[in-house]
């Protein structure tokens, strides 16, 4: 079985500060991992994904995430927060196989303070 | 035009009424999903369909039904709406031929049951 835990339902940072959103997963098979972002009144869009290639994955809008198998983590980071980064962020995991589905974390709401 | 289109975007309905939410996609994907989003609960899977003849219940299917009218269309029905079905509903698609299960989302339907 697979599961995802996002540590911290709300994170607040100052503009220009480091953004760190935490995601830990559990998977009995090699995982595929995803970060999605949801801006207010919009659907979810893919930020980045890990698919067993490079462990450091770069995404859109300056975000990146590092897959650490030993820590079962896939934390999302951005060196310098912008006001426009304020949104809900979701981590998701899926495994290989024909019937794979995405398993979602509960989300982390990021606030960016001026 | 959006790749995944949901209609309506907003709907207010009365308790006991039947309502249908529609989803259409132009991505050519075989898999389609309906999710519900509630504050603090993340995304919960209602139903999913891996092809036109394959419909599966998700984790919260009670009170809902679906129809996959064509590969590109997947509708969600509430036979007799109740207030706790007030939520944001998302349709999503994915491609089984892809190595990973990246999902593409519609803009969402905000449903209020009064």
């Amino acid at each position: 079985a697979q599961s995802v835990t996002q540590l911290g339902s709300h994170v607040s940072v100052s503009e220009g500060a480091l953004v760190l959103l935490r995601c830990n997963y559990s998977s009995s098979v090699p995982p595929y991992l995803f970060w999605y972002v949801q801006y207010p009144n919009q659907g979810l869009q893919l930020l980045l994904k890990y698919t067993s290639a490079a462990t450091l994955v770069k995404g859109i809008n300056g975000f990146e995430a590092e897959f650490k198998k030993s820590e079962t983590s896939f934390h999302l980071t951005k060196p310098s927060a912008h006001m426009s980064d304020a949104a809900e962020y979701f981590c998701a995991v899926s495994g290989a196989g024909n019937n794979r589905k995405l398993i979602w974390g509960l989300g982390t709401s990021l606030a960016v303070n001026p | 035009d959006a790749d995944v289109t949901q209609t309506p975007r907003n709907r207010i309905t009365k308790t006991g009424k039947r309502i249908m939410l529609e989803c259409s996609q132009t991505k050519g994907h075989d898999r389609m999903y309906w999710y519900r989003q509630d504050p603090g609960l993340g995304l919960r899977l209602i139903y999913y369909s891996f092809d036109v003849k394959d419909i599966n219940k998700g984790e919260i299917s009670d009170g809902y039904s679906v129809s996959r009218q064509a590969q590109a269309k997947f509708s969600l029905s509430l036979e007799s709406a109740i207030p706790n079905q007030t939520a944001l509903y998302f349709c999503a698609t994915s491609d089984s031929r892809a190595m990973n299960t990246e999902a593409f989302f519609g803009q969402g339907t905000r449903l209020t049951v009064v």
Side-chain angles (χ1 to χ4, degrees):
Chain A
Q2 296 169 308
S3 65
V4 175
T5 302
Q6 290 184 239
L7 300 176
S9 57
H10 298 277
V11 171
S12 182
V13 301
S14 298
E15 192 173 20
L18 171 71
V19 176
L20 171 60
L21 303 183
R22 299 177 187 273
C23 174
N24 287 89
Y25 70 92
S26 172
S27 179
S28 57
V29 297
Y32 296 135
L33 292 156
F34 307 83
W35 276 101
Y36 283 79
V37 61
Q38 183 184 25
Y39 298 107
N41 300 314
Q42 294 188 26
L44 282 75
Q45 64 181 90
L46 184 70
L47 265 181
L48 49 81
K49 59 186 177 185
Y50 167 76
T51 57
S52 75
T55 56
L56 182 62
V57 181
K58 295 187 183 298
I60 62 172
N61 301 335
F63 284 93
E64 63 182 36
E66 186 172 8
F67 171 69
K68 292 187 177 181
K69 184 178 179 180
S70 61
E71 299 178 8
T72 60
S73 69
F74 190 57
H75 301 331
L76 182 70
T77 60
K78 181 173 180 177
S80 177
H82 295 165
M83 297 295 290
S84 60
D85 294 327
E88 189 86 15
Y89 292 80
F90 291 93
C91 183
V93 65
S94 76
N98 193 46
N99 290 327
R100 59 193 185 279
K101 300 189 299 295
L102 285 169
I103 306 300
W104 296 87
L106 295 182
T108 297
S109 178
L110 176 65
V112 182
N113 305 310
Chain B
D1 288 340
D3 293 323
V4 184
T5 303
Q6 293 183 232
T7 55
R9 291 292 312 277
N10 291 280
R11 180 73 182 267
I12 300 174
T13 192
K14 293 183 177 181
T15 298
K17 292 292 187 181
R18 184 180 189 275
I19 183 169
M20 179 182 289
L21 309 182
E22 299 189 358
C23 177
S24 62
Q25 52 118 343
T26 58
K27 300 191 72 66
H29 290 171
D30 52 342
R31 298 182 172 188
M32 298 187 73
Y33 310 81
W34 275 105
Y35 289 94
R36 144 174 198 164
Q37 184 180 24
D38 299 276
L41 298 180
L43 289 168
R44 292 183 291 169
L45 184 62
I46 305 172
Y47 270 95
Y48 61 102
S49 170
F50 280 177
D51 66 40
V52 174
K53 297 181 181 179
D54 180 67
I55 305 287
N56 303 279
K57 293 183 177 180
E59 55 187 304
I60 55 161
S61 59
D62 287 350
Y64 301 95
S65 62
V66 291
S67 173
R68 185 85 183 263
Q69 300 95 325
Q71 186 182 43
K73 296 183 181 295
F74 192 38
S75 60
L76 175 72
S77 293
L78 288 68
E79 296 302 325
S80 179
I82 56 177
N84 77 1
Q85 291 177 313
T86 292
L88 186 55
Y89 290 84
F90 286 104
C91 175
T93 72
S94 67
D95 185 352
S96 64
R97 298 164 297 179
M99 284 294 294
N100 59 71
T101 50
E102 176 184 345
F104 296 83
F105 284 80
Q107 293 289 82
T109 296
R110 186 169 297 280
L111 177 66
T112 303
V113 183
V114 297

